[in-house]
Amino acid sequence: MSLTSDPPIDKTTSAKTAGGAEDYAALKVVPVRHPWRWAAVVATAVLLAQFAHGFITNTGWEWGVFADYFTADVILKAVWVTLQLTFYGTALGFALGIVLAFMRLSASRFLQAVAFGYIWAFRSIPLIVQLLFWFNLAYLYKELQFGIPFGPGFFSFDTMGLVGAMSAAVLGLALHQAAYAAEIVRGGVLAVDSGQLEAAAALGIPRLRQIRRIVLPQAMRSILPNAANEVISLFKGTSIVSVMAIGELFYQVQVIYGRNGRVVPLLMVATVWYVLLTSALSVLQHYVERHFSKGTTR
């Protein structure tokens, strides 16, 4: 008599199961077919081939004019101005954005309110309005004085000479970028587990070192993708300073095709430069992200 509640094992059934396993091993494996996927691939390839054919054979693109102006001195100088605007706007914008982010994360209600007010204001006002305001600052204030509030001033600066077109463009781009950078940095810091800061504080690590050695290296994994998008958007957004007659890439292209009437090839010159430099920024983003992703799996 069995002392367990399990049913007795049928040796015949076990033999059939073993035989069935051998039969399954002999079956031919057929891969899953995806006819509609291949149809989509073929349709896409045909459309791309048609586009490339028209791109090459259509005389309206005027590739000869494109080749003449692509590496012209005036275009290369305009590309350099665009890169300068992007670099200064990014560096100053993210420097101020980091400060604003930690102001929003601070325990002080006053600092939180100031940072929130700044971010709200500069995200609400269109960039072109901000640029035109800084460009016309001398119309509102002839000079800037420093001294006793509502009292006599000790020294002053001429606003017309202090804020030129290039300075106004960098100032407008940087202040606008800082509002978005602050939220990107704040989101990255919040993504770091707060328990690590508590453990660091228990070990007696100073607050500044906690941020520099523990928080920011981990936060960079969340910050970098969004920050790279903002840098690329700023790079393309520098074209908006053309309203201030600054000789960046898009403005120079407009000036040239306004003289010779070759609109399409000159626009292609600007487009290809934007594509090349944006691709270079994307490659740089890849390697920077890979550096900060060491020790993690995705």
Side-chain angles (χ1 to χ4, degrees), residues 118-298:
Y118 178 96
I119 294 169
W120 168 78
F122 280 87
R123 288 199 305 182
S124 301
I125 303 173
L127 177 57
I128 190 171
V129 176
Q130 298 179 38
L131 291 172
L132 290 175
F133 170 78
W134 294 114
F135 186 60
N136 294 282
L137 185 63
Y139 175 79
L140 295 174
Y141 304 100
K142 304 299 182 184
E143 61 179 12
L144 297 177
Q145 289 189 347
F146 294 88
I148 300 174
F150 306 105
F154 299 133
F155 53 92
S156 62
F157 295 98
D158 181 20
T159 310
M160 182 65 72
L162 182 65
V163 183
M166 191 69 175
S167 301
V170 171
L171 186 61
L173 291 172
L175 294 178
H176 178 80
Q177 187 69 25
Y180 293 90
E183 291 299 278
I184 292 173
V185 174
R186 185 174 71 93
V189 172
L190 290 175
V192 179
D193 186 7
S194 60
Q196 298 191 39
L197 291 178
E198 295 174 359
L203 293 172
I205 300 176
R207 179 68 175 175
L208 184 60
R209 185 177 296 178
Q210 294 177 26
I211 295 173
R212 184 169 54 90
R213 301 299 298 271
I214 298 175
V215 176
L216 287 181
Q218 297 181 76
M220 288 297 287
R221 298 169 188 168
S222 301
I223 292 172
L224 275 174
N226 296 322
N229 286 338
E230 282 298 315
V231 173
I232 291 173
S233 296
L234 179 64
F235 169 69
K236 294 182 294 184
T238 54
S239 60
I240 203 171
V241 305
S242 60
V243 299
M244 303 163 63
I246 296 176
E248 51 81 44
L249 180 58
F250 187 68
Y251 176 80
Q252 289 295 351
V253 164
Q254 285 181 307
V255 170
I256 295 172
Y257 74 61
R259 293 174 180 172
N260 61 17
R262 298 292 190 269
V263 178
V264 173
L266 267 301
L267 287 178
M268 281 303 300
V269 168
T271 300
V272 173
W273 272 114
Y274 282 125
V275 170
L276 289 176
L277 295 175
T278 300
S279 301
L281 289 174
S282 299
V283 172
L284 179 62
Q285 172 193 354
H286 168 72
Y287 285 104
V288 175
E289 284 187 10
R290 191 171 71 174
H291 171 74
F292 283 99
S293 297
K294 292 178 179 179
T296 62
T297 56
R298 295 187 176 182

Side-chain angles (χ1 to χ4, degrees), residues 81-93 170 231 234-235 238:
V81 173
T82 300
L83 290 174
Q84 284 182 303
L85 289 171
T86 304
F87 174 77
Y88 291 128
T90 300
L92 297 176
V170 171
V231 173
L234 179 64
F235 169 69
T238 54

